Amino acid sequence: MKRCTIRLDDSGGFTLVELVITLVLIGILSSLGIGLFANRSGFSPLLANQQLASAVRLAQQGALAGNPADDVAVAQVGDEFEFTVGGGTSAERVFSLPRESASLSTTPTITFQPDGTPASGANTELTFSGSGTSYTTCISSLGAVYQGGCQP
């Protein structure tokens, strides 16, 4: 009869040095990450730009669906950016976002036709800027909404 012997080997774990180095690296990475999010004002123009694109698409979808919420108004109200889709209608929706020292180049109202194109028939370019950064959104005469300046 054969005997089975099991030998325990102690080389299957981590050493104390490896654990300490891992903890130090996690601490350094987390301190860098907190620094990125501690000052939100750098993100404010980007967030406002993204909210603008969302509000414009909502108004455009309203126009395509034939409901009265076919326009979007952008305003700087106190310490907030305010995006109003379908203002003065039963389908009015208002979105607001803290400005946090960001500003907007112009405060337009954009109305869409039933085919989804802007009623003005022209390109509209909006720029949010603040904390040394700026983000531009173009609403083209064909109804496309994209980041960056309008093409001639």
Side-chain angles (χ1 to χ4, degrees):
M1 184 180 262
K2 246 184 176 181
R3 281 181 120 181
C4 279
T5 58
I6 298 174
R7 185 168 178 240
L8 296 175
D9 192 7
D10 62 343
S11 65
F14 295 104
T15 65
L16 183 60
V17 173
E18 290 170 331
L19 292 174
V20 169
I21 289 174
T22 302
L23 289 175
V24 168
L25 287 174
I26 289 173
I28 290 171
L29 291 174
S30 66
S31 68
L32 292 174
I34 288 172
L36 290 174
F37 295 105
N39 184 7
R40 288 184 33 191
S41 64
F43 290 110
S44 185
L46 174 63
L47 294 174
N49 193 35
Q50 292 172 345
Q51 184 66 45
L52 169 68
S54 177
V56 165
R57 288 183 184 113
L58 183 63
Q60 191 176 36
Q61 287 173 353
L64 290 168
N67 68 37
D70 62 355
D71 66 340
V72 61
V74 184
Q76 296 180 95
V77 180
D79 291 337
E80 294 184 330
F81 288 118
E82 194 171 272
F83 306 90
T84 305
V85 178
T89 67
S90 61
E92 178 178 286
R93 297 209 178 169
V94 179
F95 307 96
S96 61
L97 187 70
R99 282 186 42 203
E100 297 180 10
S101 76
S103 63
L104 177 60
S105 60
T106 181
T107 55
T109 297
I110 302 162
T111 303
F112 291 94
Q113 297 177 356
D115 64 355
T117 59
S120 67
N123 293 342
T124 303
E125 191 172 284
L126 300 168
T127 302
F128 291 94
S129 56
S131 299
T133 59
S134 63
Y135 296 93
T136 302
T137 295
C138 177
I139 303 154
S140 78
S141 60
L142 300 175
V145 180
Y146 57 90
Q147 288 187 358
C150 294
Q151 302 300 315

